[in-house]
């Protein structure tokens, strides 16, 4: 392990400053996505080589977007859509890649034994995992993006219960096995609030595969893991146990995630990940589960009343710019993310993914436009619009 840590320490390097604004000033051919560049120099399947060169963007948050599109039920949040409308899952992968994701992450989040037990579909465990992996692999190989396997919170883990720990180990071992069969380029273990559980996920990845591991913790309103460790302490443990990338995802929006990410960046030597939810969490309500809506009698907004708290594209752009400037290279957006957020994140890194063809340009707007072809009778009306 010491040799491994030293090797990682040698490989660590700070990113160059991201390209400066204005983002609409780039010509269409001036920049390519990281994916296209990586494809060209033989790094298509190598996460660590890509991280060495710069940022890697990973779109997450598939469940929330599929819920909004009408193909997934909030509550249990199990992606039965994999069977019912696989074409919708494929299109969402394609939409995120079009918007700048460097990764196509298999939608095996909540396709584990425990969640399928809760909805009474345990018999579909294997085919549903394989469907998710098949769809993601197809998109990844066509697009030159990285193909990631996904492990997540089991909702079974209890540090005091040996049989629960055995069940967690079983869940992770079998999901790692199916993903290895599918040929994933690396693993993500995500949205895990117990570092003990995250270590079990990492152990399964290390035991049953040879590919890199990204492990991201989910931190609720208290700035500690379920055991009471700071995220920095927890990430040190994950690094010591061999994780290639450590960090946090989900639950917290940019504003309340950033302070924790800074602490993690200075506590570990390996690459750091930050994938906030695109919601305006606050010092008083640090997680999206804690947000209450003053327009709705201070009811809990999670999960389907979060719309008024949505972060703008600019807020995600600012998050990406700041995080990359701090040396955080594995970036993404989690639950609530739409392709427009991923595009804003890509543009914050000076990139021009295909979706940037349609990035806002108000110069030709009917009323607020500055283009000489806009009629004066319309622009004169600006103060009243
Ligand atoms: Zn999430």
């Amino acid at each position: 392990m010491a040799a491994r840590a030293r090797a990682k320490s040698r490989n660590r390097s700070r990113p160059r400053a991201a390209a400066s604004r204005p983002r609409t000033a780039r010509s269409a051919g001036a920049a390519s996505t990281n994916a296209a560049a990586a494809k060209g120099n033989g790094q298509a399947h190598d996460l660590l080589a890509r991280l060495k060169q710069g940022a890697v963007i990973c779109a997450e948050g598939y469940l929330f977007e599929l819920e909004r599109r009408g193909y997934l039920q909030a509550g249990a949040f199990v992606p039965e859509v994999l069977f019912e409308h696989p074409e919708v899952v494929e299109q969402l992968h394609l939409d995120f890649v079009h918007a700048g994701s460097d990764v196509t992450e298999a939608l095996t989040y909540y396709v584990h034994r425990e969640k399928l037990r809760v909805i009474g579909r345990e018999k579909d465990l294997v085919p549903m995992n394989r469907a998710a992996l098949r769809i993601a692999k197809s998109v990844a190989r066509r697009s030159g993006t990285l193909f990631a396997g996904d492990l997540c919170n089991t909702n079974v883990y209890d540090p005091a219960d040996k049989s629960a720990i055995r069940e967690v180990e079983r869940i992770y071992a079998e999901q790692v096995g199916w993903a290895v069969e599918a040929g994933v380029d690396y693993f993500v273990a995500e949205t895990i609030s117990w570092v003990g559980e995250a270590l079990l996920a990492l152990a399964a990845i290390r035991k049953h595969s040879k590919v890199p591991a990204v492990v991201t913790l989910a931190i609720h309103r208290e700035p500690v893991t379920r055991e009471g460790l700071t995220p920095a302490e927890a990430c040190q443990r994950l690094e010591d146990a061999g994780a290639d990338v450590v960090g946090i995802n989900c639950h917290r929006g940019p504003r309340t995630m950033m302070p924790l990410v800074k602490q993690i960046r200075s506590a570990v030597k390996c690459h750091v990940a930050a994938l906030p939810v695109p919601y305006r969490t606050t010092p008083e309500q640090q997680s999206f589960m804690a947000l209450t809506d003053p327009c709705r009698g201070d009811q809990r907004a999670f999960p389907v009343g979060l719309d008024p708290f949505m972060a703008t594209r600019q807020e995600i752009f600012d998050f990406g710019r700041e995080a990359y400037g701090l040396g955080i290279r594995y970036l993404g957006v989690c639950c609530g993310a739409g392709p427009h957020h991923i595009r804003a994140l890509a543009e914050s890194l000076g990139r021009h993914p295909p979706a940037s063809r349609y990035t806002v340009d108000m110069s030709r707007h009917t009323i607020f436009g500055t283009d000489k072809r806009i009629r004066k009778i319309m622009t004169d009306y600006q103060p009243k619009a």
Side-chain angles (χ1 to χ4, degrees):
M1 199 54 69
R4 183 186 177 87
R6 277 198 302 279
K8 279 199 236 175
S9 167
R10 276 199 304 279
N11 288 339
R12 183 188 181 191
S13 57
R14 294 282 173 183
R16 293 182 299 274
S20 59
R21 294 191 214 194
R23 42 184 151 146
T24 51
R26 303 179 74 90
S27 69
S32 63
T33 62
N34 196 23
K39 207 173 176 183
N41 61 22
Q43 295 177 358
H45 302 186
D46 189 341
L47 171 69
L48 300 180
R50 288 197 190 189
L51 283 168
K52 209 170 169 182
Q53 293 220 322
V56 168
I57 295 177
C58 179
E60 290 188 349
Y62 284 84
L63 300 184
F64 271 54
E65 179 63 10
L66 289 165
E67 191 278 333
R68 281 193 298 237
R69 293 185 184 194
Y71 292 96
L72 186 143
Q73 187 173 42
F77 281 112
V78 178
E80 297 172 271
V81 61
L82 288 161
F83 278 179
E84 292 158 5
H85 289 283
E87 75 285 359
V88 171
V89 178
E90 181 184 39
Q91 187 59 50
L92 181 54
H93 283 311
L94 290 167
D95 290 349
F96 278 135
V97 170
H98 180 72
S101 185
D102 296 310
V103 180
T104 304
E105 186 174 278
L107 181 50
T108 53
Y109 186 93
Y110 273 3
V111 191
H112 57 57
R113 185 173 291 279
E114 168 64 10
K115 283 305 280 193
L116 293 184
R117 187 187 65 76
V118 169
I119 65 160
R121 290 192 75 161
E122 283 163 293
K123 66 175 175 31
D124 295 324
L125 176 66
V126 180
M128 209 178 274
N129 274 276
R130 292 211 164 113
L133 289 157
R134 186 173 59 245
I135 296 166
K137 183 174 188 176
S138 161
V139 172
R141 295 302 177 242
R142 274 183 280 155
S143 61
T145 51
L146 291 158
F147 172 33
D150 183 83
L151 306 178
C152 68
N153 49 316
T154 63
N155 310 320
V156 173
Y157 182 77
D158 176 349
D161 180 346
K162 285 205 172 86
S163 73
I165 289 173
R166 277 196 299 276
E167 181 66 3
V168 174
E169 287 172 335
R170 179 190 189 194
I171 285 171
Y172 288 148
E174 60 193 7
Q175 281 200 301
V176 169
W178 298 317
V180 167
E181 277 173 28
V184 293
D185 299 324
Y186 76 98
F187 275 97
V188 176
E190 52 146 325
T191 323
I192 304 175
S193 300
W194 299 91
V195 71
E197 187 178 24
L199 286 164
L200 292 177
L202 178 60
I205 295 165
R206 285 282 165 261
K207 185 172 177 190
H208 303 292
S209 83
K210 294 184 169 62
V211 296
V214 175
V215 186
T216 54
L217 298 160
I219 305 297
H220 287 269
R221 64 179 81 180
E222 299 292 329
V224 287
T225 67
R226 291 285 297 271
E227 293 97 340
L229 291 172
T230 68
E233 290 168 331
C235 285
Q236 280 173 336
R237 291 195 189 185
L238 291 164
E239 180 182 35
D240 289 345
D244 298 283
V245 181
V246 297
I248 36 184
N249 78 295
C250 210
H251 291 10
R252 289 172 169 245
R255 188 174 170 201
T256 58
M257 181 176 282
M258 187 60 84
L260 305 183
V261 169
K262 283 182 187 169
Q263 291 163 15
I264 295 168
R265 179 60 285 171
S266 37
V268 301
K269 295 188 176 66
C270 63
H271 288 293
V272 171
L275 302 93
V277 293
Y279 295 109
R280 291 174 168 169
T281 53
T282 66
E284 295 73 36
Q285 298 185 330
Q286 299 255 345
S287 82
F288 75 160
M289 289 185 189
L291 287 170
T292 56
D293 187 350
C295 296
R296 301 287 299 160
D298 286 328
Q299 288 179 54
R300 185 189 300 279
F302 179 87
V304 293
L306 286 163
D307 310 61
F309 300 98
M310 181 64 76
T312 64
R313 294 157 171 82
Q314 189 63 46
E315 287 168 313
I316 297 300
F317 182 99
D318 292 344
F319 176 83
R321 174 65 58 88
E322 184 180 359
Y324 192 69
L326 291 167
I328 292 148
R329 291 196 164 193
Y330 190 95
L331 295 165
V333 189
C334 205
C335 299
H340 61 307
H341 291 122
I342 298 303
R343 177 177 60 190
L345 185 60
E347 290 175 349
S348 80
L349 304 169
R351 296 185 187 174
H352 193 89
S356 292
R357 156 84 174 79
Y358 304 106
T359 294
V360 62
D361 174 4
M362 286 296 284
S363 70
R364 288 180 286 183
H365 184 265
T366 306
I367 294 175
F368 300 107
T370 51
D371 191 286
K372 62 181 186 311
R373 287 168 290 192
I374 307 295
R375 288 179 188 261
K376 192 167 178 303
I377 192 171
M378 296 307 291
T379 53
D380 281 351
Y381 198 67
Q382 280 178 17
K384 293 185 180 176

